[in-house]
Amino acid sequence: MDFKDEIKQLGEKVCKNKELVRTEEATKIAFIMPFLRALGYDTTNPSEVVPEYTCDIGTKQGEKIDCAIFKDGEPLILIECKHWGQNLNLHDNQLLRYFHVSKAKFAILTNGIEYLFYSDLAEPNKMDEKPFLELNMEDIKDNVIEEVKKFHKSYIDVDALSCTASELKYVKELKSVINSEMNNPSADFVRVLTKQVYSGIINQKQLDIFTSLIKRTFSQTINEIISDRLKSALNTEKPAQETQVAPDSASTSIDSGNGIVTTEEELEGFRIVKAILRKQISADRVFYRDTQSYFNILLDDSIRKIVCRLYFNNPAKKFIALFGQDSKENKIEIKTLDDIYLHSDALIQTALWHNSRFGKDKGGSQEASNVAEVKQEA
């Protein structure tokens, strides 16, 4: 099962069963340990996951953290667990003390519903006061899952994670600043923008006027962006049973209105295939057409020769279908989107074979016959 599906399935379980979980230990067993297993860690292997890890703090000997994840014989991530009903903000000082005396690079404070990820970005060996990443199992966001996935045992890279943590920290803080300025613009911010459009003296009266104008402008700009994107999606030409997007179109999910929903996961698969093919084929020649049953990835929109198909409609199992020169479909199960890279050679070979037979230099009559052939297949 794909990591994203595992986390979402666990989120559903947490929401459904939380009222039955009455203690901190039960929270740990029912919610937190399954989360660590989803990250690829063997919770029964004491060299990998250590429960009740001892952290000596000054004169206090034998202080224990709920759990520690080890890598190469050293603690990498400290985990402090609380009952799902507890407010995590009340307990972060305890984790801070543990972090300071250990060699761990990351820390997680969790109640099984919220997961707060910390590091030492501001000062080495001192846990930051604010988390750089937050996962809420009751409100799971795809972009957050992608960041959490970087903690998976199969992908974890401490140096890369430290860079990611730093970026996430500043992005989070910038979002907070931007949201604050949008809702309640500060005098300094208003002055900076006003100077761009107003040449007179900026006194308090002008500040008051432009504060109101800037708030209204933010609101109108956001509404216009949303409206333009909706219009663009609605005005895109689509066949009766297909939805089509050119290579450089927006990456958000699209509901075609005829029961076909192009998901972000399908779009990510498309981007991976396009990245593979661009080694030999120009990226602007790679298109997709979605259907209710499968997601086609094609070479050249005019001739529409199929490079592969993605079957992502079933959350339990996902397949990529490859095509040889005999045009027979060969469906292969994939566990994660990264598995698409395992079929790079086959994808490139198929695209080059189509290109040699039906390239743009092959003439209009051949192109027309191929369009007819694809329409018959559809």
Side-chain angles (χ1 to χ4, degrees):
M1 185 183 296
D2 184 83
F3 176 72
K4 180 168 67 175
D5 293 332
E6 280 194 73
I7 295 299
K8 289 187 174 181
Q9 189 176 84
L10 179 58
E12 292 173 0
K13 178 182 175 183
V14 169
C15 294
K16 180 181 178 181
N17 297 328
K18 65 180 182 180
E19 298 296 338
L20 302 175
V21 177
R22 294 184 171 85
T23 66
E24 181 179 302
E25 187 63 23
T27 300
K28 188 190 306 183
I29 293 171
F31 300 157
I32 299 170
M33 289 299 120
F35 177 77
L36 297 184
R37 289 194 288 271
L39 283 171
Y41 298 101
D42 183 356
T43 56
T44 65
N45 184 351
S47 67
E48 193 166 294
V49 178
V50 180
E52 300 297 317
Y53 176 61
T54 301
C55 293
D56 295 330
I57 305 174
T59 58
K60 293 184 178 181
Q61 302 297 305
E63 290 286 311
K64 297 182 185 296
I65 194 78
D66 288 306
C67 185
I69 293 175
F70 272 62
K71 181 178 174 63
D72 299 328
E74 297 289 348
L76 175 63
I77 307 172
L78 299 183
I79 304 170
E80 180 69 8
C81 308
K82 299 299 173 185
H83 179 255
W84 68 266
Q86 287 186 283
N87 185 340
L88 294 181
N89 294 328
L90 300 177
H91 305 284
D92 53 359
N93 287 336
Q94 186 179 16
L95 185 58
L96 191 150
R97 295 196 305 272
Y98 294 152
F99 189 91
H100 181 64
V101 297
S102 80
K103 295 181 179 180
K105 188 64 178 175
F106 302 98
I108 300 174
L109 178 62
T110 180
N111 57 12
I113 294 178
E114 293 179 274
Y115 289 81
L116 308 183
F117 292 75
Y118 295 85
S119 189
D120 56 351
L121 303 173
E123 187 176 337
N125 301 320
K126 182 178 179 181
M127 195 179 89
D128 298 325
E129 293 183 4
K130 296 180 180 180
F132 64 85
L133 178 64
E134 299 180 32
L135 170 67
N136 189 327
M137 301 298 281
E138 294 181 318
D139 183 21
I140 298 175
K141 294 178 171 60
D142 287 350
N143 64 311
V144 175
I145 292 181
E146 290 303 314
E147 299 301 336
V148 172
K149 186 178 179 180
K150 294 174 184 177
F151 283 86
H152 195 284
K153 178 184 174 182
S154 302
Y155 314 116
I156 194 163
D157 181 320
V158 176
D159 293 333
L161 264 179
S162 296
C163 293
T164 298
S166 180
E167 291 178 3
L168 289 173
K169 172 189 174 183
Y170 291 118
V171 167
K172 182 180 177 183
E173 292 177 356
L174 284 169
K175 283 183 178 179
S176 178
V177 171
I178 291 170
N179 282 329
S180 177
E181 295 291 1
M182 287 173 62
N183 295 320
N184 188 24
S186 65
D188 289 340
F189 183 69
V190 172
R191 282 193 179 93
V192 169
L193 293 186
T194 303
K195 286 179 180 179
Q196 307 299 314
V197 297
Y198 180 72
S199 59
I201 296 173
I202 304 174
N203 53 29
Q204 189 58 50
K205 181 179 178 181
Q206 297 301 325
L207 275 177
D208 292 341
I209 292 172
F210 276 96
T211 296
S212 177
L213 288 174
I214 287 170
K215 289 178 68 174
R216 197 188 315 162
T217 302
F218 268 128
S219 178
Q220 290 179 357
T221 301
I222 292 171
N223 288 336
E224 287 171 2
I225 291 172
I226 294 172
S227 178
D228 288 345
R229 288 189 177 182
L230 287 172
K231 287 179 181 177
S232 177
L234 291 171
N235 290 334
T236 301
E237 277 192 39
K238 311 177 195 71
Q241 293 298 319
E242 295 180 329
T243 180
Q244 174 193 5
V245 174
D248 297 323
S249 296
S251 63
T252 52
S253 297
I254 299 171
D255 186 340
S256 66
N258 58 11
I260 300 172
V261 177
T262 300
T263 66
E264 176 60 30
E265 192 171 42
E266 289 172 326
L267 292 171
E268 182 62 23
F270 167 69
R271 287 190 285 266
I272 290 173
V273 173
K274 185 168 69 169
I276 291 169
L277 296 182
R278 75 190 309 161
K279 297 175 184 178
Q280 299 288 341
I281 300 291
S282 175
D284 61 7
R285 295 179 61 193
V286 185
F287 286 76
Y288 76 72
R289 285 182 177 269
D290 201 0
T291 74
Q292 290 182 340
S293 302
Y294 46 74
F295 182 94
N296 276 327
I297 298 179
L298 312 161
L299 179 65
D300 292 330
D301 191 43
S302 59
I303 62 173
R304 302 191 210 171
K305 299 309 296 182
I306 300 174
V307 177
C308 68
R309 283 175 178 158
L310 304 180
Y311 290 84
F312 286 179
N313 292 337
N314 183 350
K317 285 189 176 182
K318 295 178 175 59
F319 297 88
I320 181 172
L322 304 176
F323 294 84
Q325 295 185 11
D326 57 2
S327 298
K328 289 184 178 180
E329 183 181 54
N330 178 25
K331 289 174 68 173
I332 303 169
E333 184 177 358
I334 59 175
K335 300 297 184 182
T336 70
L337 291 176
D338 291 338
D339 289 350
I340 296 174
Y341 287 106
L342 300 176
H343 307 287
S344 297
D345 291 343
L347 293 168
I348 292 172
Q349 185 177 5
T350 299
L352 290 177
W353 183 71
H354 285 322
N355 185 63
S356 66
R357 297 181 63 215
F358 309 111
K360 293 183 177 181
D361 58 340
K362 297 298 181 181
S365 59
Q366 179 66 59
E367 180 175 298
S369 67
N370 287 314
V371 171
E373 175 189 337
V374 170
K375 286 183 177 177
Q376 280 188 343
E377 290 177 355

